[in-house]
Amino acid sequence: MDVHNQLIQDLVWDPEGTTWATSCKDKRIRIGDPRSDSVVAEIAEAHQGAKSAKLAFLGNGGRLATVGFTKQSQRQLKLWDLRDLSKAMTKIDIDQAAGVILPFFDPDTKVLYLCGKGDGNIRYYESVEGKPFVFPLSEYRSTAAAKGACFLPKRGLDIMRCETARCLKLTSQAGAGVVEPLSFIVPRKSDAFQDDIFPDTFSGLPSLQADDWFAGANAPPNLVSLNPDLKNAGGAKQAGANKPAKAFTPLKTPMQLQKELDAANKRIELLTKRLQDAGLPTD
């Protein structure tokens, strides 16, 4: 990516792999098309502060979250509509601290988690379609400073305990790195599967082959059900409670169709020649 003449601070992809976004030391946020190797849009200065800005696509909704700093080193969250990057959809001033915030978005529950690097707090917000577009839900507080964080896939959670997210927080204890699991649980009295907080989730399987993607094909992520009563022969939960498991078959790309057409035409020419050599009509 030759357009970045300074250090890239963050790089994220949208769920379908059609768009990437980067933050750079020059304070610009760039939106690019990976297949054409081009930048299609820019935010000249998403955050005025000089410290690192981090990014997260909010699912397939055409929105991007950026977390950075003001000139006064105040940490800040902004939401952007990819169709109009001239101004932010909304802005939230979080607090006055030095640590970079790492954003993680859960597309199933529409919750955006903000993990502070250098402090022990995790704030989480719900993303909604209309104004205010995002609003705070709660905050986890701890005195143990985080050196890094990541979230487990939904397939690794305790669904029947209504565990909607699990963060793996890297801390330092006695000079050694320690991974601390943090569970986010929705209190429910029922022991039944809660389909309202556990919709079909990413299966971990690719939706396209590499050749199809390079040829221009797009496909949404493969989804599976988290309902433990719906299992295929291999034990994975299948999407669709009342439907048999069906393998995903991507549409053929124009390149594939052209190859098949060329092969069919060569076969026709070969058979026509054989008929002519045998003295048989070819009509």
Side-chain angles (χ1 to χ4, degrees), residues 33-45:
D33 181 347
R35 283 174 285 212
S36 67
D37 192 24
S38 62
V39 173
V40 297
E42 286 188 6
I43 305 172
E45 191 178 57

Side-chain angles (χ1 to χ4, degrees), residues 221-232:
N222 269 333
L223 304 180
V224 293
S225 174
L226 293 171
N227 190 335
D229 295 331
L230 304 175
K231 298 182 179 181
N232 64 5

Side-chain angles (χ1 to χ4, degrees), residues 40-41 49 57 60 75 119 180 208 218 232-233 237 254-255 264 271:
V40 297
F57 280 102
N60 285 324
R75 299 195 290 190
D119 62 66
E180 177 185 356
L208 292 171
N218 297 322
N232 64 5
K237 287 77 175 177
M255 183 180 295
L271 294 176

Side-chain angles (χ1 to χ4, degrees), residues 20-37:
W20 54 257
T22 61
S23 61
C24 187
K25 195 173 182 180
D26 60 9
K27 301 183 183 180
R28 289 181 176 271
I29 306 296
R30 294 173 174 86
I31 312 298
D33 181 347
R35 283 174 285 212
S36 67
D37 192 24

